[in-house]
Amino acid sequence: MPEGHKTHFLAREHHALLAGEPLSVSSPQGRFSTDAKKVSGKHLASVSATGKHLFYEFEGGSIIHVHLGRYGKFRRHKSPAPEPVGQVRMRMTASEVCIDLNGPTTCRVIDHEIKRSVIDRLGPDPLAGGRKTEVWNNISQSGQPIGALLLDQKVVAGVGNIFRSEILFEAGLDPHLPGTGLSKEAFDRLWKSLKRMMTVGLKHGKIIAVTSKEAGMPLAKIPEERRFRVYGQTECPQCSTLISSVEIASRRMYVCKHCQV
Ligand SMILES: [Zn+2]
């Protein structure tokens, strides 16, 4: 599932590619046809992201709301667009480019009031000015394990399954530790890691947990298989202990039981 860095990355990219133009919006697959007609032909004013949600705001106040979920994927083509591939829920066509969306969890047209209610249900988004003190309040008042809290979009918006493993490893924290048992000092480390990794992820359009110093090369050159320290890995890069996988909040995460205590 794309995590928050990717949603913000897509918002920036799609804003640069599509905003300021009238868009032709359609649904080759048919499931979004009725809503597509509400915005097709209108100027796209802006594209923004909060957590894992994308909002395409059109003149007149209509907004396309997209949540990619686990399987949602965008494909970009040059205009004129080729024949749709697979189940294309939404196709947005501008003068130069065409963007197809397949398999999202959510793709609908909403107004500002509904957008507000979507955002109100989310916790602070660290990439959209979300406040550290609010995240601390959400975490420190919960008896849930920190590994589950980080995935809860009401606690902090945008963190997904890869980030939680990598952030907790960098901060040296056991994912089973309850929020109420986390010291302020440990939370400060966690927040620092979270901000660093999400900012790097936004810049590069993918999660890169290792630093350029560790990898011995610039971040942009790090090969795919060397981006993570623990996620999907077998051996801890710090102590060489075997990495364990544990299930928390119904998803598998990765832990070094020696370094994360
Ligand atoms: Zn270790």
Side-chain angles (χ1 to χ4, degrees):
M1 183 188 290
E3 304 188 27
H5 70 291
K6 189 69 184 182
T7 323
H8 282 275
F9 185 83
L10 287 166
R12 285 185 184 182
E13 185 181 71
H14 290 182
H15 182 91
L17 289 169
L18 304 171
E21 280 194 67
L23 292 191
S24 162
V25 183
S26 64
S27 180
Q29 169 214 45
R31 279 180 63 186
F32 179 64
S33 293
T34 308
D35 272 8
K37 287 190 187 105
K38 295 177 189 166
V39 291
S40 192
K42 292 185 175 164
H43 272 79
L44 178 69
S46 66
V47 187
S48 62
T50 306
K52 299 176 184 175
H53 298 258
L54 279 164
F55 301 100
Y56 299 77
E57 305 208 18
F58 288 80
E59 57 170 348
S62 293
I63 301 163
I64 298 176
H65 170 213
V66 171
H67 189 294
L68 290 170
R70 268 194 172 176
Y71 307 108
K73 197 173 173 55
F74 285 105
R75 283 195 187 82
R76 192 167 127 190
H77 314 283
K78 279 188 181 149
S79 285
E83 280 298 302
V85 176
Q87 298 288 312
V88 177
R89 182 82 57 88
M90 172 171 72
R91 168 167 278 187
M92 294 183 285
T93 310
S95 55
E96 307 269 312
V97 292
C98 160
I99 291 172
D100 285 346
L101 171 63
N102 291 49
T105 297
T106 304
C107 177
R108 59 176 181 162
V109 171
I110 58 172
D111 58 19
H112 280 275
E113 205 177 318
I114 296 174
K115 180 190 171 191
R116 176 50 45 203
S117 74
V118 171
I119 293 175
D120 284 349
R121 284 198 296 272
L122 298 172
D125 176 348
L127 290 177
R131 291 178 47 195
K132 181 182 173 184
T133 47
E134 278 179 49
V135 178
W136 166 242
N137 288 342
N138 292 344
I139 288 180
S140 62
Q141 288 166 17
S142 172
Q144 291 288 311
I146 182 76
L149 289 169
L150 286 175
L151 271 197
D152 184 343
Q153 300 300 297
K154 293 192 290 297
V155 171
V156 54
V159 175
N161 202 34
I162 298 177
F163 270 134
R164 71 167 174 167
S165 287
E166 294 293 341
I167 291 164
L168 286 167
F169 176 77
E170 184 167 282
L173 294 168
D174 180 350
H176 296 93
L177 185 73
T180 46
L182 191 70
S183 68
K184 182 61 172 52
E185 187 200 2
F187 173 76
D188 288 345
R189 290 204 307 276
L190 186 73
W191 179 259
K192 197 176 159 198
S193 294
L194 191 152
K195 285 279 280 190
R196 183 188 78 76
M197 275 188 216
M198 290 187 86
T199 308
V200 168
L202 171 58
K203 185 174 174 199
H204 295 271
K206 58 185 172 187
I207 300 172
I208 305 173
V210 298
T211 60
S212 56
K213 195 175 166 195
E214 275 170 79
M217 65 183 85
L219 292 181
K221 294 201 169 150
I222 295 174
E224 288 298 306
E225 68 279 8
R226 288 181 57 194
R227 289 188 288 142
F228 305 141
R229 295 181 180 129
V230 285
Y231 189 86
Q233 307 298 304
T234 50
E235 203 176 275
C236 174
Q238 281 173 15
C239 73
S240 300
T241 297
L242 284 181
I243 297 291
S244 311
S245 81
V246 294
E247 200 173 284
I248 297 181
S250 308
R251 310 246 346 242
R252 185 187 295 258
M253 62 178 298
Y254 296 85
V255 187
C256 172
K257 288 187 174 165
H258 180 256
C259 295
Q260 292 173 257
V261 288

